[in-house]
Amino acid sequence: WDFLILFFCLPVVIFNEITKKRLLGDMSCRIVPFMEVSSLGVTTFSLCALGIDRFHAATSPQASTRPIEQCQSIIAKLAVIWVGSMTLSVPEILLWQLAQDTSPVSGGVTEFCAMKPSSNLPESIYSLVLTYQNARMWWYFGCYFCLPILFTVSCQLVTRRIRGTEKKSECRGTKHGQCESHLNCTIIALTIIYGLCTTPENVCNIVVAYMSPDLSKQTLDLLNLINQFFLFFKCSVTPVLLLCLCRPLGQAFMDCCCCCCEGCGPDTTSSEGSADSKLKTEMSSSIFFDKPRETPPPLLALGTPC
């Protein structure tokens, strides 16, 4: 979703700031806010899901031998996160519309997006959109800012409380303990980046809500532009941070890039084949056997059979 924001919303915003014309017209005024709010929802619910996963990993009785989650379960969770985020963002499509104004400097007609529901909507839907508009600021602050931060902090505190000093001392030097601490640091770093990038928008929303009559349209447009570029910064930093901190994901991404950019020669294929066969042999000998790999040598008979 971060890539969708960068590839679709960022060019539209830049084009609007340069030409003062809205690319794709009224459609972009509805789609861009919808995608931006959906991005906040996807990040919020993903951080909540990651916090729950870390909590289950810490409280599992056999955390080191916990089975790998099935692909169907992961896809189901992603579907719930994406569909839920997009459903909560549907009012944004009905809230915004294209408006025109005359520039006092150049005298030309400029296009901008106004937060004003259309009067052609049915009465019931129109009232719901107005209710959403009035509660939008606190909904932003509560759901898309407080929820992921409080959820992540709570899960981390509860996880540390349950693990305790005894389990920490047992798993401190093991590979599994290092992996768990590394994943916890990754989630904390993602939450910090998200909190820093969404704080200006929430502050601006509160300031605009209580001081909008005293602010000019140019000031409001500048604040809106700053908020959007903070969102674009978050969308550009999050994938890089995730690929750098999560080493298996970063290594898999680099391997995919190398396979797509470079042709596989005969030597590379043979070396990769031997490496794959060696890896399969090690996995079959270490993972799928319940018995130890090497049986202890038979005891030597000492003395007489009596």
Side-chain angles (χ1 to χ4, degrees):
W1 200 271
D2 290 334
F3 286 123
L4 290 177
I5 293 292
L6 294 176
F7 292 151
F8 180 78
C9 298
L10 181 59
V12 171
V13 173
I14 293 178
F15 181 84
N16 183 38
E17 291 301 319
I18 294 176
T19 63
K20 300 302 178 181
K21 298 292 182 180
R22 199 69 185 182
L23 188 65
L24 301 178
D26 186 67
M27 182 182 297
S28 66
C29 284
R30 301 177 185 272
I31 297 299
V32 170
F34 169 76
M35 294 186 64
E36 291 177 350
V37 177
S38 298
S39 173
L40 298 178
V42 168
T43 307
T44 295
F45 300 134
S46 297
L47 289 175
C48 293
L50 291 173
I52 294 174
D53 180 75
R54 292 297 89 212
F55 176 77
H56 284 311
T59 57
S60 177
Q62 295 179 349
S64 59
T65 59
R66 194 173 61 142
I68 299 177
E69 190 173 3
Q70 297 296 326
C71 183
Q72 292 82 358
S73 176
I74 298 176
I75 293 177
K77 291 180 180 179
L78 292 177
V80 170
I81 291 172
W82 280 43
V83 173
S85 302
M86 295 171 67
T87 303
L88 293 176
S89 305
V90 168
E92 295 288 332
I93 300 178
L94 306 176
L95 182 61
W96 296 86
Q97 61 178 339
L98 184 65
Q100 294 181 349
D101 191 13
T102 303
S103 175
V105 179
S106 60
V109 178
T110 60
E111 296 179 347
F112 63 95
C113 296
M115 189 185 299
K116 182 180 179 181
S118 176
S119 58
N120 298 326
L121 295 174
E123 185 177 355
S124 59
I125 298 179
Y126 184 78
S127 61
L128 289 177
V129 175
L130 283 180
T131 304
Y132 174 80
Q133 181 181 1
N134 295 329
R136 187 174 182 267
M137 177 190 66
W138 296 113
W139 171 253
Y140 253 68
F141 181 74
C143 181
Y144 298 135
F145 181 76
C146 295
L147 180 63
I149 294 178
L150 293 178
F151 207 94
T152 303
V153 172
S154 301
C155 287
Q156 291 294 326
L157 292 178
V158 172
T159 299
R160 292 177 182 273
R161 179 72 176 178
I162 291 178
R163 291 175 68 94
T165 56
E166 299 176 352
K167 288 189 176 181
K168 286 182 180 179
S169 61
E170 293 176 0
C171 301
R172 184 172 298 172
T174 62
K175 184 178 180 181
H176 175 72
Q178 295 176 358
C179 180
E180 291 295 323
S181 61
H182 196 75
L183 291 174
N184 290 331
C185 293
T186 302
I187 297 175
I188 293 174
L190 293 175
T191 306
I192 292 175
I193 292 296
Y194 178 74
L196 292 177
C197 294
T198 53
T199 298
E201 182 174 5
N202 288 277
V203 173
C204 290
N205 289 338
I206 296 175
V207 171
V208 169
Y210 292 100
M211 299 179 59
S212 56
D214 301 332
L215 298 177
S216 62
K217 184 179 180 301
Q218 290 76 14
T219 304
L220 295 177
D221 293 338
L222 179 60
L223 293 177
N224 186 30
L225 183 63
I226 292 174
N227 296 334
Q228 285 185 318
F229 274 99
F230 266 106
L231 178 62
F232 298 147
F233 177 76
K234 188 269 296 182
C235 293
S236 60
V237 169
T238 299
V240 177
L241 182 66
L242 190 60
L243 292 176
C244 293
L245 293 182
C246 189
R247 296 176 183 176
L249 181 61
Q251 185 62 39
F253 182 78
M254 294 302 297
D255 292 341
C256 290
C257 292
C258 294
C259 291
C260 293
C261 298
E262 299 178 359
C264 295
D267 296 335
T268 307
T269 306
S270 60
S271 62
E272 287 181 356
S274 60
D276 290 341
S277 62
K278 182 179 179 181
L279 179 60
K280 291 180 180 179
T281 304
E282 291 179 357
M283 290 177 63
S284 62
S285 61
S286 61
I287 297 178
F288 299 103
F289 279 108
D290 295 332
K291 298 180 180 180
R293 275 183 285 179
E294 297 181 1
T295 58
L299 297 177
L300 298 178
L302 297 178
T304 61
C306 298

